[in-house]
DNA sequence: CCGTAGACCCGGGGTG
DNA sequence: GATGGCCGGGTCTACG
């Protein structure tokens, strides 16, 4: 569920509490959520591991590309955070105990100032599909995953989309889920974007004309922007760094509404399986054009 | 005939 | 027993 809007909202809510503060690694629970740049498990001495987790660094900025969020400290150390399905990056107030809180994998103490509300940062993830990946200065090589991501969905241009998709034979939906084509879309926002653009999820990328790519690009940006404004979508697990759920769920037009009337034309919404994912669409507003 | 895009399946781990 | 909203890896097929 953390797709681009949720990750961007987490980033924004963390910035005022982390930038300019120092981080000290406090606890490491399951180290297997920490991966090397090659994607494999991290095998290093404990001290080096803490070092890679930004121990002792002062936060200079929080970056994001697609569903990836990273924390950067002075000296260029960076830590990529991927939330997977159920990951959370949250802030904790002084005095609040974490004992008994399940699935906490890494905690940091934040070097706070007088007026600061929070003194700790916590990464938790029950399913452990998420992970932490040190990269940048001190972690050796380039961050291959970042290099492979397509342009960010929030600002992607129609011409970029068209250039990346036009030669492909695959269905629109499969292509839009591919993070190498556009970064940040998951199942929810792909369905919302296609509905807004009036394009059938099974339409082959190569059968889409320029005008439709313009519409698609505009739809993706608009949907993501609106979702960010509403703090993202919470279906079940997602909360932001301050523990609040997103409010975009009630604005969804297709996702989770199979069988209910389309909000544009009142015809019942249908479902399909595309790329092994449940897909909701309106047969009337998104006519098949194979 | 070959190379590649892409389709399909699975694991990972928890909740219900 | 079923199961999203994720991702990577393995394998197999179809197409150019």
């Amino acid at each position: 569920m953390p797709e681009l809007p949720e990750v961007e909202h987490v980033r924004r809510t963390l910035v005022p509490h982390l930038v300019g503060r120092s981080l000290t690694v406090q606890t490491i629970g399951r180290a297997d959520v920490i991966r090397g740049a090659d994607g494999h498990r991290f095998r290093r001495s404990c001290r080096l591991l803490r070092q890679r987790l930004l121990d002792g660094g002062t936060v200079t900025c929080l970056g994001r590309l697609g569903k990836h969020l990273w924390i950067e400290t002075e000296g260029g150390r960076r830590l990529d955070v991927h939330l997977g399905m159920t990951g959370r990056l949250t802030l904790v107030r002084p005095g609040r105990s974490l004992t008994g809180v399940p699935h906490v994998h890494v905690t940091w103490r934040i070097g706070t100032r007088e007026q600061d509300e929070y003194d700790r940062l916590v990464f938790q993830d029950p399913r452990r599909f998420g992970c932490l990946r040190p990269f940048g200065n001190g972690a050796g090589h380039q961050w291959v995953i970042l290099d492979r991501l397509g342009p960010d969905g929030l600002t992607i241009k129609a011409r970029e989309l068209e250039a990346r998709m036009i030669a492909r034979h695959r269905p629109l939906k499969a292509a839009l889920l591919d993070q190498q084509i556009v970064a940040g879309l998951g199942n929810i926002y792909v369905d919302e974007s296609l509905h807004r653009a009036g394009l059938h999820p099974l339409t082959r990328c190569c059968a889409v004309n320029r005008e439709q790519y313009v519409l698609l690009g505009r739809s993706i940006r608009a949907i993501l922007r609106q979702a960010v404004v509403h703090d993202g979508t919470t279906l079940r697990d997602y909360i932001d760094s301050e523990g609040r759920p997103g409010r975009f769920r009630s604005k969804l037009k297709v996702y989770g509404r199979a069988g209910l009337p389309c909000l544009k034309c009142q015809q019942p919404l249908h479902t399909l399986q595309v790329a092994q994912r449940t897909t909701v669409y309106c047969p009337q507003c998104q006519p098949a054009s194979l």
Side-chain angles (χ1 to χ4, degrees):
Chain A
M1 166 189 351
E3 301 178 33
L4 185 152
E6 293 74 35
V7 177
E8 175 60 14
H9 180 67
V10 168
R11 192 189 71 78
R12 291 183 187 184
T13 59
L14 284 174
V15 164
H17 304 290
L18 291 185
V19 173
R21 312 306 196 273
S22 64
L23 291 176
T24 309
V25 175
Q26 191 174 35
T27 60
I28 299 175
R30 303 197 58 134
D32 62 355
V33 299
I34 306 158
R35 314 285 178 77
D38 55 0
H40 295 319
R41 304 295 192 241
F42 211 92
R43 286 160 217 251
R44 298 286 179 168
S45 74
C46 191
R47 216 193 64 202
L48 190 47
L49 186 56
R50 293 163 65 95
Q51 164 79 7
R52 299 276 161 90
L53 292 174
L54 311 177
D55 191 49
T58 296
V59 179
T60 53
C61 67
L62 298 182
R64 183 192 59 77
L65 179 56
K67 305 174 191 177
H68 290 260
L69 167 69
W70 65 87
I71 305 172
E72 184 166 345
T73 59
E74 281 169 3
R77 273 184 290 168
R78 292 175 188 169
L79 183 65
D80 169 37
V81 180
H82 195 276
L83 298 173
M85 296 266 284
T86 54
R88 291 174 172 179
L89 201 54
T90 53
L91 294 159
V92 178
R93 292 174 200 280
R96 225 200 94 194
S97 168
L98 285 172
T99 52
V101 178
H103 313 299
V104 169
H105 305 310
V106 179
T107 68
W108 293 262
R109 187 161 286 282
I110 305 169
T112 56
R113 297 171 186 164
E114 278 297 313
Q115 73 281 11
D116 284 349
E117 274 184 89
Y118 302 104
D119 70 344
R120 279 159 296 161
L121 175 68
V122 174
F123 175 69
Q124 54 185 135
D125 184 3
R127 296 179 79 171
R128 283 188 273 126
F129 295 174
C131 63
L132 303 176
R133 281 190 182 88
F135 71 111
N137 196 9
H141 14 284
Q142 284 286 21
W143 189 43
V144 253
I145 292 167
L146 175 67
D147 296 340
R148 281 205 277 257
L149 291 180
D152 192 72
L154 212 45
T155 51
I156 193 165
K157 299 202 218 52
R159 299 304 274 267
E160 293 176 306
L161 261 189
E162 184 183 359
R164 292 169 168 267
M165 294 169 73
I166 194 69
R168 312 293 182 119
H169 202 247
R170 62 208 297 219
L172 277 179
K173 169 143 184 176
L176 294 176
L177 284 169
D178 184 342
Q179 301 299 299
Q180 299 185 40
I181 292 187
V182 45
L185 297 175
N187 208 26
I188 299 174
Y189 298 116
V190 167
D191 282 7
E192 295 298 313
S193 300
L194 287 172
H195 180 258
R196 184 173 176 126
L199 294 167
H200 193 284
L202 286 176
T203 307
R204 306 278 170 187
C205 295
C206 56
V208 173
N209 64 34
R210 174 152 295 179
E211 189 187 347
Q212 291 172 314
Y213 274 114
V214 169
L215 200 51
L216 180 58
R218 208 179 283 155
S219 302
I220 291 171
R221 294 190 304 268
I223 292 287
L224 293 176
R225 213 165 41 232
Q226 285 175 17
V228 171
V229 166
H230 290 89
D231 305 347
T233 302
T234 294
L235 299 175
R236 182 200 216 99
D237 304 291
Y238 168 74
I239 53 170
D240 70 17
S241 70
E242 295 177 304
R244 286 189 280 266
R247 296 170 287 109
F248 195 68
R249 186 178 189 174
S250 62
K251 313 279 187 216
L252 297 174
K253 293 203 163 52
V254 285
Y255 184 88
R257 299 194 65 251
L260 296 172
C262 171
L263 297 169
K264 284 188 199 164
C265 75
Q266 316 309 320
Q267 295 302 302
L269 298 173
H270 286 205
T271 55
L272 269 178
Q273 284 289 122
V274 186
Q276 286 78 245
R277 319 296 287 280
T278 301
T279 301
V280 188
Y281 72 106
C282 172
Q284 181 108 342
C285 300
Q286 299 167 261
S289 59
L290 311 171

